[in-house]
């Protein structure tokens, strides 16, 4: 098994290389603030980056799984763990690990 983290997965056509596409979704305001803090970008720089990516509604429509990323890291980790157990582990082994 391999996990590929690629912000521009659809834009570069790599979605054809994977079995499933999982995307996280957050309110635009949260994304802007996270990128400002994490990367030291201005709001304008963040918006330019976001504008260069696929439209949010198109990205969500093309995803196999959409993970709501509004409640924080701990909740995100729980959601991913649950999805991994139900969608990946069972399929890979035919049973729960």
């Amino acid at each position: 098994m391999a996990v590929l983290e690629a912000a521009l997965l659809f834009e570069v056509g790599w979605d054809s290389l994977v079995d499933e596409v999982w995307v996280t979704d957050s309110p635009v305001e949260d994304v802007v603030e996270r990128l400002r803090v994490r990367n030291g970008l201005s709001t304008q720089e963040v918006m330019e980056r976001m504008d260069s990516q696929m439209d949010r509604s198109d990205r969500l429509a093309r995803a196999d799984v959409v993970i709501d990323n509004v409640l924080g890291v701990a909740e995100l980790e729980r959601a991913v763990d649950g999805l991994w157990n139900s969608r990946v582990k069972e399929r890979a082994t035919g049973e729960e690990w």
Side-chain angles (χ1 to χ4, degrees):
M1 275 196 224
V3 174
L4 174 64
E5 180 182 355
L8 300 175
L9 183 84
F10 292 123
E11 290 85 344
V12 297
W14 291 353
D15 54 309
S16 63
L17 302 174
V18 298
D19 293 324
E20 287 189 349
V21 175
W22 297 8
V23 298
T24 56
D25 186 46
S26 299
V28 172
E29 304 80 28
D30 291 354
V31 174
V32 170
E33 185 59 22
R34 287 176 190 155
L35 287 172
R36 285 181 63 254
V37 170
R38 186 185 74 198
N39 296 6
L41 301 173
S42 69
T43 299
Q44 181 179 341
E45 290 170 320
V46 171
M47 296 307 293
E48 288 171 0
R49 265 191 194 189
M50 292 174 63
D51 288 343
S52 72
Q53 297 177 359
M54 177 180 286
D55 182 72
R56 176 178 178 243
S57 61
D58 292 337
R59 181 174 44 86
L60 297 178
R62 291 181 62 180
D64 297 295
V65 175
V66 176
I67 303 167
D68 186 10
N69 188 18
V70 71
L71 298 177
V73 174
E75 187 59 35
L76 176 64
E77 288 175 351
R78 279 192 287 278
V80 171
D81 284 345
L83 286 163
W84 184 266
N85 288 329
S86 67
R87 296 182 72 94
V88 178
K89 284 184 179 181
E90 291 178 18
R91 185 171 57 195
T93 64
E95 60 186 67
E96 280 194 50
W97 288 0

